[in-house]
Amino acid sequence: MADNHLEQIGVRPPLGAYFREMWRYRPLVQTMAIAKAESDNQNTYLGQVWALISPTINALVYVLIFGFLLKVGREGIDNTIAFIVVGVFMFRFFERSVMAGAHSLQKNMNLVRSVQFPRAVLPTAGVLAELTVLGPALVVMCVIAYFSGFLPIAGRVTIDWYWLLLPVAVLLTWVFSTGCAFISARLVAQTPDIDNLLPHVIRILMYASGVIFSVDRFVSQFSWGWLMEYQPVAVYLYLVRSSILNETAYPPDAFMWLLGVIWAVLFSVVGFLFFWAGEERYGRD
Amino acid sequence: MTDIEEEVDFEVDPEDLGDAPALQVDSDRLSLLVNDLHVSYRVFGAKKVGHGPARDWGLLDRLVRRGAKQPAIREVKAVRGITFAANHGEAIGIIGVNGSGKSTLLRAIAGLIPPVSGTVHVAGNPALLGVNAVLMKNLSGARNIMIGALALGLSRNEVKERFDDIVEFAEIGEFVNLPMKSYSSGMGARLRFAISASAVPDILMIDEALSTGDAGFRAKSKAKMDEIRESAGTVFLVSHSLATIQSMCTRVLWIHEGKLVMDGEPREVCGSYKQFVADRKRHAASQK
């Protein structure tokens, strides 16, 4: 067979070759991400404005319920509105990234079944699309957080040098979310039933990560409290909050930054390997 | 069996295709080697599919599934042991009745569906593609050209260079900026063909794509196929139109129930296939 230069196909490429291929397909990732971000709100009158309105309404509902009706969102927090808005915007990005990864193969099955390219392109593009939508939403988030500080009931939010850390925190969250999207993509591709469980798992994670109220109380109350404090989602929320808010319970912390880097590297590497290990099966189901 | 009428269509006037027999490109070098290929895929929530009788499920099984007669997941054996080799420059037609495994075979050759057992070896750069469903209907034609061509491995600059050619070849004009869902089926098929052919692949696979085109487009796509074969590519064509197969292919594979029935000259294989379909039709009529 050597004289005819035949190569076997339909088998998983070696990891190194796969990674190089993935790098070569960068333009496809970008194009698909932009196309997906643009087409998401295509069928509405307001179009892309919904990418800003939806998370804002979402956050305001939580502010109303947890901040004012239940008051649980106010314990140990100086500025409830800013705290919840930042939590909801950032967690929403993580949640949508994981779901985008979960649906990335199913939604692009036409493409998967007609052209041969590294399938890791799909979850990566799905998360990148969420990141492009997150960009403008972050501006809205910062504006709301800043102006909520002028309300008499809330603590002041000041603009300082720490704000420059926000892009770094978002970048780490993005890398971590991409790793999670790889994992959810393979799990759902293999067992579609997991798609139905994912929203519930994410909901539990939301309440366990202090998105809408501070988990400090639980952290000091139980011996396993550190688990809740140092799990990745909580770490990234901490990083973003410590960057732009003036919460006394969330001072900038070098250890948390280190953890943020470790989680991002760990999840992206493990996620990529996990996804690659199933590569040859993705078109089949 | 009322669907037999659909199996062979004679909608294509042979005059449209010209009298010239398919261009012969001589080459002894192998471009593709398929060895005892078996392919199956999972189907969720399926009733009886595939070949062979349904299994008789026991009482316990049925209780677990709350009375459903069939399990939720079925393994469909679409290709069951196919072996053949193809040379550079060949145009190979694949015929067979609906559900005989033609499309699945193509996908397996393209490396899109991993085989259960058996192997597929391809020459050089396996830039394989199918024409049947590269596109996303919510996106504009322009976006689809970008995504499709990039997915085929072209660079951003190459796509920009060939963009106008693709639009022109597909004859979609102003529609290029409208979402694909507003396209007629002919326009969609033309765009798919244009994108797939733009990469000048080593192996081009065309699955029923030409049936929606008009005579002019069919002539153009035949010219494109010849071009690909002259540059040492191999073309696979799945079609229910025997006239199309006979005018475009140098060799025909007849597949039935996932197995290779016949492999040879287009005239000979198409003749036997026609005979087979006619026999089945007569048989079905006598059963009524």
Side-chain angles (χ1 to χ4, degrees):
Chain A
M1 243 173 287
D3 42 315
N4 282 307
H5 304 289
L6 296 190
E7 278 170 31
Q8 187 170 2
I9 57 163
V11 289
R12 183 175 60 213
L15 186 59
Y18 189 69
F19 191 79
R20 278 193 299 277
E21 273 289 279
M22 185 65 194
W23 185 249
R24 200 168 70 81
Y25 273 94
R26 278 182 338 273
L28 179 63
V29 174
Q30 289 161 12
T31 312
M32 287 192 76
I34 294 168
K36 181 172 184 285
E38 274 180 13
S39 69
D40 266 356
N41 291 305
Q42 207 179 34
N43 296 322
T44 56
Y45 287 109
L46 291 179
Q48 288 307 320
V49 185
W50 277 112
L52 304 177
I53 301 176
S54 306
T56 309
I57 295 176
N58 196 355
L60 291 181
V61 169
Y62 283 125
V63 168
L64 204 66
I65 295 173
F66 288 90
F68 294 99
L69 291 178
L70 295 176
K71 303 224 164 46
V72 60
R74 304 180 69 170
E75 287 171 30
I77 296 163
D78 304 326
N79 184 337
T80 307
I81 298 174
F83 182 90
I84 293 180
V85 165
V86 170
V88 168
F89 271 68
M90 289 309 295
F91 190 80
R92 189 183 152 91
F93 165 68
F94 167 75
E95 177 181 16
R96 290 181 61 100
S97 296
V98 173
M99 294 315 287
H103 298 153
S104 59
L105 288 158
Q106 191 56 48
K107 281 209 171 145
N108 295 300
M109 203 39 96
N110 277 350
L111 197 63
V112 169
R113 289 203 168 148
S114 4
V115 197
Q116 180 65 51
F117 60 92
R119 306 308 188 205
V121 161
L122 299 173
T124 314
V127 179
L128 192 63
E130 294 303 328
L131 187 71
T132 37
V133 175
L134 180 69
L138 280 182
V139 177
V140 174
M141 178 184 97
C142 291
V143 168
I144 296 177
Y146 180 71
F147 283 102
S148 70
F150 292 110
L151 293 174
I153 49 160
R156 197 53 67 88
V157 174
T158 50
I159 297 177
D160 48 32
W161 289 108
Y162 286 119
W163 278 55
L164 292 178
L165 287 173
L166 176 65
V168 185
V170 171
L171 194 79
L172 289 175
T173 314
W174 169 54
V175 173
F176 165 74
S177 301
T178 305
C180 293
F182 280 138
I183 297 169
S184 67
R186 177 167 172 200
L187 288 177
V188 171
Q190 268 177 353
T191 318
D193 307 56
I194 290 175
D195 191 22
N196 293 323
L197 286 177
L198 263 183
H200 305 295
V201 174
I202 293 176
R203 189 47 43 121
I204 292 171
L205 197 57
M206 179 174 120
Y207 288 112
S209 306
V211 173
I212 40 190
F213 49 82
S214 171
V215 285
D216 281 352
R217 227 164 16 125
F218 308 101
V219 171
S220 50
Q221 208 170 330
F222 303 106
S223 57
W224 42 267
W226 58 271
L227 258 178
M228 278 171 88
E229 198 180 352
Y230 297 132
Q231 53 100 345
V233 179
V235 168
Y236 293 116
L237 288 176
Y238 186 100
L239 294 184
V240 174
R241 281 182 180 139
S242 71
S243 300
I244 61 172
L245 301 186
N246 297 44
E247 297 290 332
T248 40
Y250 289 77
D253 184 337
F255 177 66
M256 282 303 219
W257 281 99
L258 180 69
L259 262 185
V261 172
I262 292 174
W263 282 133
V265 171
L266 189 72
F267 270 80
S268 54
V269 169
V270 170
F272 187 76
L273 290 177
F274 183 67
F275 187 86
W276 163 76
E279 173 77 4
E280 78 277 16
R281 291 185 45 101
Y282 292 131
R284 187 156 147 201
D285 303 322
Chain B
M1 293 299 268
T2 50
D3 60 336
I4 279 200
E5 275 78 10
E6 297 161 23
E7 308 291 15
V8 182
D9 74 337
F10 296 100
E11 65 177 64
V12 183
D13 299 328
E15 305 91 73
D16 282 351
L17 300 161
D19 287 335
L23 175 89
Q24 293 284 343
V25 180
D26 288 324
S27 169
D28 299 331
R29 289 188 306 128
L30 281 183
S31 68
L32 179 77
L33 192 63
V34 178
N35 187 20
D36 193 27
L37 186 71
H38 289 258
V39 183
S40 63
Y41 52 89
R42 284 192 302 176
V43 176
F44 286 90
K47 294 286 177 194
K48 166 82 177 76
V49 279
H51 314 292
R55 199 182 126 189
D56 196 16
W57 293 88
L59 179 66
L60 187 68
D61 282 328
R62 256 181 291 175
L63 276 178
V64 172
R65 291 189 305 276
R66 297 194 184 167
K69 283 261 164 61
Q70 295 285 331
I73 305 170
R74 296 279 311 208
E75 191 96 359
V76 180
K77 290 184 177 125
V79 174
R80 306 188 292 169
I82 287 186
T83 302
F84 71 92
N87 287 333
H88 286 280
E90 273 192 305
I92 301 176
I94 301 179
I95 55 174
V97 297
N98 287 340
S100 54
K102 304 183 293 288
S103 302
T104 312
L105 175 65
L106 277 194
R107 282 183 183 150
I109 295 172
L112 302 168
I113 307 179
V116 173
S117 68
T119 55
V120 179
H121 286 83
V122 174
N125 152 37
L128 303 155
L129 50 106
V131 181
N132 51 336
V134 193
L135 306 170
M136 283 158 250
K137 62 180 176 18
N138 285 327
L139 303 182
S140 70
R143 268 270 145 70
N144 270 299
I145 293 175
M146 281 300 286
I147 292 177
L150 285 173
L152 287 170
L154 294 184
S155 74
R156 212 182 267 272
N157 282 333
E158 283 171 323
V159 179
K160 270 181 201 144
E161 262 167 40
R162 296 177 200 184
F163 189 89
D164 291 338
D165 289 344
I166 295 174
V167 175
E168 196 186 327
F169 189 88
E171 301 168 19
I172 51 173
E174 296 294 304
F175 274 83
V176 71
N177 291 318
L178 293 180
M180 283 281 297
K181 57 189 168 192
S182 64
Y183 287 24
S184 74
S185 55
M187 286 161 79
R190 291 202 300 267
L191 184 58
R192 275 180 219 122
F193 185 89
I195 294 174
S196 302
S198 70
V200 193
D202 286 339
I203 298 189
L204 176 66
M205 294 182 300
I206 302 164
D207 192 352
E208 301 286 355
L210 305 182
S211 54
T212 43
D214 54 22
F217 182 72
R218 217 175 280 132
K220 253 167 75 174
S221 45
K222 190 184 176 204
K224 194 86 190 177
M225 279 165 60
D226 288 344
E227 193 184 304
I228 287 169
R229 288 169 49 215
E230 273 168 20
S231 58
T234 306
V235 176
F236 281 90
L237 174 66
V238 166
S239 177
H240 282 299
S241 159
L242 294 182
T244 309
I245 294 265
Q246 284 194 15
S247 77
M248 293 193 182
C249 299
T250 56
R251 177 181 167 192
V252 175
L253 307 179
W254 169 16
I255 290 169
H256 190 64
E257 297 192 343
K259 288 176 180 157
L260 192 58
V261 179
M262 218 173 157
D263 173 0
E265 285 286 303
R267 193 170 297 276
E268 201 181 319
V269 179
C270 288
S272 308
Y273 177 67
K274 244 182 235 170
Q275 187 65 41
F276 166 79
V277 172
D279 283 352
R280 257 178 73 163
K281 207 170 184 172
R282 204 174 313 121
H283 183 69
S286 67
Q287 296 257 307
K288 273 176 193 164

